[in-house]
Amino acid sequence: MADKLKNCFLVNAPAGSGKTTQIKAMVQNCLADNPQDNILCITYTNRAAEELSKNFDAKNVFIGTIHSFLHSFMKRYFAHTDILNLYFEVYGERIQQRIANSEKDGHIETSNNKYKEKYGAIDFETVKKNIVAISYNESPFSSLYYGGLSHDDLISFSKCVLDRFPIIRKRISLKYQYIFIDEYQDTMADVLKLFYESVFSSNTRLYLFGDRMQQIYKNYDGSFEEQFDTFDTATTLLTNYRSVTEIVTILNKVYNDSSFIQDNSSQMKAITPDFSPRVIVSENIQTTIEEIKQSHPDTLVLYLLNKARFSDIGAINLYLAFDSMEKYSYGKTYSAVDIVTTSFNDNPDPLMKLLYCIVDLFRCYQFQKYGLIVQTLRANKTLFCQDSWYIKEHRDKQILFNNLKVIFSVFEDETKTIGDLLTALIDTSMVNNSYIEGVQADDENRPVFDVPAIELLRVIEYLNDPKVSTQHGVKGESHDSVIFVAEDSRSNPIVHMYRFFEMWGHLSVSLKSFNQFYYAYINELSDLQIAINMKINDLTKDSYTQYEDIIQKKISAIMERFAENPYFEFLCKEKYEQFLSKPGVTKAKECMKESTVYGVLSAYKLFYVGCSRARKNLTILLNKSKIKGDFELQKSKFEELGFIVQ
């Protein structure tokens, strides 16, 4: 067993336990005891940072995302010669490959030509000479020719710098006496290692707050498990301030861990639900939802997939247009959902930032708040021309009013598109040419131009009063009545909900044991991929033949290692036996699919998160046609948890 560190603390904070309130209280206590101490709070999102920042105005408290912190901390070093040399050591090969453009990629060719036009040549030495400082792009893309780091590269390169130059890493612990990391379960292992190594053998106290049961994003890869064992875990938040007793009882049984049993607050104990938590087996999910909403119209419906969510909102085309973009694809810092549902002040997408600003102006226009319109135009000079907001006389007001009338008429006709809205902005000369040209020049934006403009208003209306969400997107929220729609997905997100329910009927599932198996299992798969120097999914008939002995030995070794593991036995064993009885590339790839395990584990966590959103009334909807295996066993499991099965 690893020795516990005296300055590293892991605080488990199950759903509804008042995690944000606790962090605020601890920061306030730290300031009260030592007003001169510097405190760092790392949050998962900008919204979380805003929530945590309320009531704090101390200059010695930094609250922000990992990107905002690293940008502010590292920028002083990013012009240093040694750091620049490391940059070219890390990215030199990628830069040279981009210069060569052997695949004749059209976008790279255009980028290369622009560089030539600006600097007269494009070669590695020219690029090296021209980069005098590294910067953060604040986007999903790195501009390697210009020293610009993307979201992901900012983290990975900062980790490289701190590993290469420990004196810089040490300065984190010298500057900050307390470091708080919120939602540690969704934090990249590199980030956790960065801070862990910074505070190791120092007096700085590191606190990780979160709940591994609410780890619904695949950011963490399991490579920090040994370090977790060195944290003090004595502090837990075990009062649920969100849900009634009936729901808290279910959550405890789903968690299935004697060290994390919640009790709810006296206030929530006094509330009686309108009905007992229930599981409804339905032949028509939408009909059942409509029936429930007749008696409880404010019920929040939790779907798995965003397609269902945005279809319900009436903004499916807007979502799909952004979902098709590579820059918002799986694994990127921002998703299509982030872009479509983030207000204009915080929106990282230039097009949506402009569109949502126009929607805000439209709302002001509807309520005749003309002074606020002028203020908004003046406050966003990067978006709007001076002529649009510079009011000297009555004639200027009339011109502005007429321009707004032209622009907002687009929202009055449901056949008009976002492209029509942009045309109106150009025709009225209200938007800066450079800004609108940048938006139009991005080829990925073209599908958005064909989207009905009315969908922008529908999204805003939804955000003001949400009645539908996804099981991923609802984390951190709570609602009186919740419907959890059980669904499967074979692509991102990978969720095997009905397989989970089937396994649940047979096994006693706990997060601790399931996580341990999953990380041990994927380490075995990773070892094989290293041995054959390729992903298992990329195996072909020829490459399988080349590595057949290695693959067969590894599959046999995995079978032997997990022979007594109930998760392996239920989820994987049959496919492994099929391979061993008749080896081949297809069966090898099938038996070693990571998703076979991950899809069920993610379903387990999503089910917990979904149930924990309900304050008072909870309904689980099962599609009768999708139920797998013996439902009587599953029914007994649901009833054991505290559900009534209908």
Side-chain angles (χ1 to χ4, degrees):
M1 185 173 177
D3 293 333
K4 302 292 183 180
L5 298 177
K6 295 181 179 180
N7 65 327
C8 292
F9 305 88
L10 185 67
V11 182
N12 191 70
S17 60
K19 168 172 59 66
T20 301
T21 302
Q22 179 67 15
I23 295 174
K24 282 184 178 180
M26 291 183 69
V27 172
Q28 288 168 338
N29 290 336
C30 293
L31 290 173
D33 294 339
N34 297 287
Q36 302 307 312
D37 281 351
N38 291 312
I39 300 171
L40 172 63
C41 296
I42 300 296
T43 61
Y44 191 69
T45 64
N46 287 318
R47 291 178 187 175
E50 289 174 7
E51 177 62 27
L52 198 55
S53 298
K54 292 177 180 177
N55 304 322
F56 284 122
D57 57 3
K59 293 181 179 179
N60 51 329
V61 179
F62 182 103
I63 300 174
T65 64
I66 184 61
H67 295 95
S68 63
F69 166 70
L70 287 177
H71 180 217
S72 65
F73 183 81
M74 298 297 297
K75 62 184 179 183
R76 74 196 73 180
Y77 306 109
F78 277 175
H80 195 282
T81 301
D82 290 341
I83 307 299
L84 289 170
N85 288 337
L86 179 60
Y87 175 85
F88 290 109
E89 181 182 325
V90 173
Y91 298 109
E93 185 176 346
R94 282 172 59 181
I95 292 172
Q96 293 191 61
Q97 287 175 349
R98 192 172 177 88
I99 290 171
N101 192 20
S102 58
E103 300 295 323
K104 305 299 180 184
D105 185 286
H107 292 289
I108 295 176
E109 187 68 25
T110 301
S111 178
N112 288 353
N113 288 335
K114 285 182 179 178
Y115 194 92
K116 283 180 187 178
E117 290 173 11
K118 188 172 183 178
Y119 296 107
I122 182 166
D123 54 69
F124 190 60
E125 292 305 315
T126 301
V127 172
K128 285 184 70 174
K129 182 181 73 175
N130 288 333
I131 297 178
V132 296
I134 299 161
S135 61
Y136 171 41
N137 280 346
E138 299 188 53
S139 79
F141 303 104
S142 289
S143 302
L144 297 180
Y145 292 164
Y146 305 94
L149 299 174
S150 69
H151 303 306
D152 293 343
D153 281 334
L154 176 67
I155 293 173
S156 59
F157 184 67
S158 296
K159 179 72 166 54
C160 287
V161 171
L162 299 178
D163 288 344
R164 179 68 61 87
F165 305 102
I167 189 168
I168 300 177
R169 185 170 64 208
K170 187 69 177 175
R171 287 171 184 165
I172 295 177
S173 60
L174 289 173
K175 180 173 182 178
Y176 296 102
Q177 286 69 57
Y178 297 91
I179 299 173
F180 297 88
I181 297 179
D182 190 16
E183 305 287 9
Y184 78 85
Q185 75 280 354
D186 287 322
T187 303
M188 294 171 63
D190 273 354
V191 174
L192 297 175
K193 290 172 185 175
L194 185 155
F195 287 109
Y196 182 80
E197 291 162 359
S198 298
V199 306
F200 198 86
S201 299
S202 78
N203 292 321
T204 297
R205 296 165 76 88
L206 173 64
Y207 292 87
L208 305 185
F209 278 80
D211 180 11
R212 301 194 77 172
M213 186 59 106
Q214 298 184 72
Q215 182 186 34
I216 59 177
Y217 301 106
K218 211 175 179 181
N219 296 338
Y220 175 69
D221 62 3
S223 61
F224 197 74
E225 294 301 294
E226 290 185 14
Q227 291 90 331
F228 277 137
D229 290 338
T230 67
F231 280 71
D232 184 326
T233 58
T235 302
T236 56
L237 307 180
L238 297 179
T239 299
N240 187 305
Y241 298 96
R242 177 184 297 156
S243 303
V244 297
T245 303
E246 290 83 349
I247 293 173
V248 172
T249 299
I250 287 172
L251 295 177
N252 284 333
K253 291 180 178 180
V254 173
Y255 217 117
N256 194 21
D257 189 328
S258 59
S259 60
F260 296 131
I261 296 176
Q262 288 183 300
D263 191 14
N264 59 338
S265 66
S266 56
Q267 183 180 3
M268 295 310 300
K269 284 179 180 175
I271 297 174
T272 302
D274 298 327
F275 50 82
S276 297
R278 59 191 180 182
V279 175
I280 298 177
V281 181
S282 174
E283 294 184 352
N284 190 314
I285 294 294
Q286 288 306 315
T287 299
T288 305
I289 291 173
E290 289 168 10
E291 290 172 352
I292 294 171
K293 282 197 163 189
Q294 286 179 4
S295 57
H296 292 81
D298 291 332
T299 298
L300 180 76
V301 183
L302 296 181
Y303 295 103
L304 174 61
L305 300 176
N306 280 299
K307 284 184 180 179
R309 175 190 184 185
F310 285 98
S311 292
D312 203 311
I313 297 168
I316 184 63
N317 298 293
L318 185 65
Y319 166 72
L320 291 176
F322 281 99
D323 192 51
S324 67
M325 299 183 186
E326 198 279 334
K327 59 187 173 184
Y328 303 128
S329 59
Y330 180 74
K332 303 299 183 183
T333 300
Y334 296 107
S335 68
V337 175
D338 296 326
I339 301 306
V340 174
T341 61
T342 300
S343 61
F344 104 87
N345 281 322
D346 297 321
N347 205 300
D349 184 86
L351 173 57
M352 280 306 296
K353 188 177 185 71
L354 171 63
L355 293 174
Y356 276 169
C357 186
I358 298 300
V359 172
D360 282 357
L361 292 172
F362 178 58
R363 294 303 191 200
C364 293
Y365 180 82
Q366 286 181 309
F367 292 100
Q368 299 181 355
K369 296 180 179 180
Y370 303 125
L372 188 55
I373 289 176
V374 175
Q375 290 177 28
T376 302
L377 295 171
R378 187 180 291 122
N380 293 277
K381 297 176 183 178
T382 57
L383 297 179
F384 301 104
C385 302
Q386 180 173 328
D387 289 345
S388 69
W389 52 262
Y390 190 67
I391 308 294
K392 287 184 67 178
E393 53 190 49
H394 180 74
R395 180 174 172 272
D396 298 325
K397 290 182 181 179
Q398 192 60 48
I399 291 172
L400 173 59
F401 183 82
N402 290 338
N403 286 338
L404 293 174
K405 190 174 181 180
V406 170
I407 294 167
F408 297 148
S409 67
V410 173
F411 293 126
E412 297 169 1
D413 184 348
E414 294 194 8
T415 66
K416 297 291 186 180
T417 65
I418 288 173
D420 294 324
L421 182 60
L422 295 176
T423 299
L425 290 169
I426 295 168
D427 290 344
T428 55
S429 301
M430 286 197 58
V431 179
N432 285 319
N433 286 333
S434 60
Y435 194 94
I436 202 81
E437 285 172 2
V439 165
Q440 292 179 320
D442 188 342
D443 289 340
E444 284 201 294
N445 284 337
R446 299 206 174 280
V448 182
F449 301 158
D450 296 326
V451 173
I454 193 71
E455 293 194 11
L456 294 169
L457 301 184
R458 290 170 181 165
V459 172
I460 295 298
E461 183 180 357
Y462 155 76
L463 292 174
N464 290 333
D465 187 21
K467 293 292 189 296
V468 59
S469 189
T470 61
Q471 295 151 22
H472 285 81
V474 80
K475 194 156 75 96
E477 299 178 13
S478 60
H479 300 264
D480 279 348
S481 299
V482 169
I483 297 174
F484 180 96
V485 182
E487 296 175 278
D488 289 335
S489 173
R490 299 291 168 181
S491 58
N492 295 316
I494 298 172
V495 178
H496 301 167
M497 189 64 67
Y498 287 92
R499 181 66 165 157
F500 163 64
F501 290 147
E502 183 186 10
M503 184 181 76
W504 217 13
H506 290 267
L507 305 180
S508 176
V509 180
S510 75
L511 178 66
K512 186 176 181 179
S513 62
F514 204 167
N515 261 342
Q516 285 176 341
F517 164 66
Y518 171 69
Y519 289 126
Y521 182 67
I522 62 172
N523 281 337
E524 293 285 354
L525 300 186
S526 178
D527 288 345
L528 175 60
Q529 291 180 151
I530 292 170
I532 64 177
N533 196 32
M534 68 170 61
K535 293 180 178 179
I536 295 167
N537 200 46
D538 292 338
L539 280 169
T540 63
K541 189 175 181 179
D542 289 341
S543 58
Y544 171 79
T545 302
Q546 181 181 355
Y547 298 111
E548 187 172 6
D549 288 345
I550 296 173
I551 293 169
Q552 290 196 22
K553 286 180 182 177
K554 186 63 168 178
I555 287 178
S556 296
I558 291 174
M559 282 277 289
E560 184 176 349
R561 177 177 179 181
F562 299 113
E564 303 298 321
N565 186 283
Y567 300 107
F568 180 84
E569 186 171 334
F570 189 88
L571 297 173
C572 311
K573 185 178 178 180
E574 183 179 354
K575 290 182 178 179
Y576 275 71
E577 289 176 339
Q578 288 173 354
F579 169 82
L580 291 173
S581 66
K582 194 175 180 180
V585 62
T586 301
K587 289 184 177 179
K589 291 163 71 173
E590 185 65 26
C591 77
M592 290 188 291
K593 276 185 178 178
E594 182 199 345
S595 61
T596 300
V597 177
Y598 178 76
V600 178
L601 178 59
S602 68
Y604 177 32
K605 294 174 181 178
L606 274 178
F607 182 74
Y608 175 86
V609 170
C611 292
S612 67
R613 299 310 98 185
R615 287 193 288 259
K616 186 177 177 182
N617 304 313
L618 174 62
T619 303
I620 311 298
L621 281 190
L622 305 186
N623 188 324
K624 187 176 182 179
S625 65
K626 295 182 179 179
I627 293 172
K628 299 179 183 293
D630 187 345
F631 183 66
E632 287 303 313
L633 289 175
Q634 298 168 48
K635 181 182 177 184
S636 296
K637 185 69 177 185
F638 281 121
E639 291 173 342
E640 178 191 320
L641 294 175
F643 287 100
I644 293 173
V645 181
Q646 300 175 1

